[in-house]
Amino acid sequence: MTLSNTPTPHHVDFLILGAGWTSTFLLPVLDSHNITHTATTRAGSPATIAFTFDPESTDPTPYKALPSATTVLITFPIKGTGGTKRLVDLYTTTHPGSPPRFIQLGTSSVWNAPGISTRHTAIDPSHERGIAETELLSLGGCVLNLSGLWGGARSPRGWVSRVADSKEKLRGKGSLHLIHGEDVAAAAVAVHEHWEEARGQRWLLTDMRSYDWWDLALAWGTEEYKGWVVQLLEERGTGVLPRSVEEKDRALDSSEFWKVFKIWPQKCLII
């Protein structure tokens, strides 16, 4: 499993703008599907192309160093208006021919209303990343809104103490939604291979589960955390976990993506 090496190839099937954590899962999948690819990093390397995105710049020079591609995956966050359109315009004008397919890895935090949200639920209109994502949709691109990322060195087992260091903070923790890096990679490749289903669409990605922070604290926390959970359950008048969607405040339903693209999440937390 390797990235395409320099010199920069003239054309690839799949260009990754920002080879970071996601790429460690994506590259093997691209290789297994015989999808040619290359990627960028800020500094560049023997196996990546140097590229830094400046949302305010109109200089086409950095884009000229990139190959043409069938699909361009944007892994870094873009905020507010203008930046996304500038990236798309500069890439397409420096690479005339068939316009590429742009995919943005977005965030599920654009949905913050109580209850169950799907990809069709209205997003927070003030969310800076959501604004940029909507701009890409207007240009015919696709957004994959990712829930909490885990896999490899990212282990949810260590998150409980980071998000709630007291009983009162734990009291306020409701649901947790996750997606494993391997499933993100499979989803990106599915979108590449079935573009007509994805064009101009926002998709929500989770592992189809809504985890309960209290449940995780009871399973993985210290004795102090376990005691807090028991006390919180007693105050609620029940001793059963996980809590309902209503009690956890919200849930994310990503089932439509998996049904449409005919793949299923392969990784989930086993508590």
Side-chain angles (χ1 to χ4, degrees), residues 13 35 127 137 182 222:
D13 298 323
I35 297 171
H127 197 292
L137 295 176
E182 291 183 16
T222 63

Side-chain angles (χ1 to χ4, degrees), residues 22-247:
T22 304
S23 295
T24 63
F25 301 95
L26 180 55
L27 297 176
V29 180
L30 293 171
D31 286 336
S32 69
H33 285 245
N34 296 314
I35 297 171
T36 61
H37 56 86
T38 194
T40 71
T41 52
R42 289 192 177 190
S45 74
T48 61
I49 304 164
F51 176 79
T52 299
F53 172 63
D54 180 352
E56 303 299 326
S57 175
T58 58
D59 180 7
T61 304
Y63 296 84
K64 294 177 180 178
L66 304 175
S68 65
T70 303
T71 295
V72 177
L73 177 70
I74 307 165
T75 68
F76 46 77
I78 303 176
K79 298 181 179 180
T81 58
T84 297
K85 187 175 188 303
R86 202 162 288 121
L87 184 154
V88 170
D89 287 348
L90 288 170
Y91 184 86
T92 54
T93 55
T94 54
H95 298 81
S98 299
R101 310 157 176 176
F102 286 94
I103 305 171
Q104 170 75 63
L105 297 186
T107 174
S108 64
S109 64
V110 297
W111 291 285
N112 52 27
I116 299 176
S117 294
T118 71
R119 75 184 189 98
H120 302 288
T121 303
I123 69 169
D124 177 356
S126 66
H127 197 292
E128 287 292 298
R129 289 183 65 180
I131 291 169
E133 293 167 7
T134 300
E135 188 168 77
L136 182 63
L137 295 176
S138 73
L139 299 171
C142 171
V143 176
L144 298 179
N145 289 97
L146 309 180
S147 52
L149 297 171
W150 73 288
R154 293 189 180 186
S155 173
R157 284 181 175 267
W159 297 354
V160 174
S161 59
R162 285 166 45 191
V163 302
D165 59 4
S166 69
K167 176 184 170 182
E168 286 310 305
K169 288 183 179 179
L170 184 60
R171 184 193 303 277
K173 300 303 293 183
S175 57
L176 172 67
H177 300 89
L178 299 171
I179 186 74
H180 193 279
E182 291 183 16
D183 291 319
V184 174
V189 170
V191 166
H192 168 75
E193 295 182 332
H194 303 281
W195 181 246
E196 289 309 310
E197 299 285 1
R199 183 197 304 270
Q201 299 296 311
R202 179 190 295 280
W203 296 96
L204 170 59
L205 288 184
T206 74
D207 63 9
M208 295 180 62
R209 293 163 175 84
S210 182
Y211 300 99
D212 184 339
W213 276 110
W214 292 11
D215 203 5
L216 300 179
L218 186 64
W220 295 337
T222 63
E223 292 303 305
E224 183 177 35
Y225 275 89
K226 295 177 192 295
W228 290 344
V229 173
V230 171
Q231 293 169 24
L232 290 169
L233 288 172
E234 289 177 346
E235 292 170 15
R236 199 186 64 168
T238 181
V240 178
L241 289 173
R243 292 168 290 170
S244 67
V245 171
E246 292 74 19
E247 291 172 304

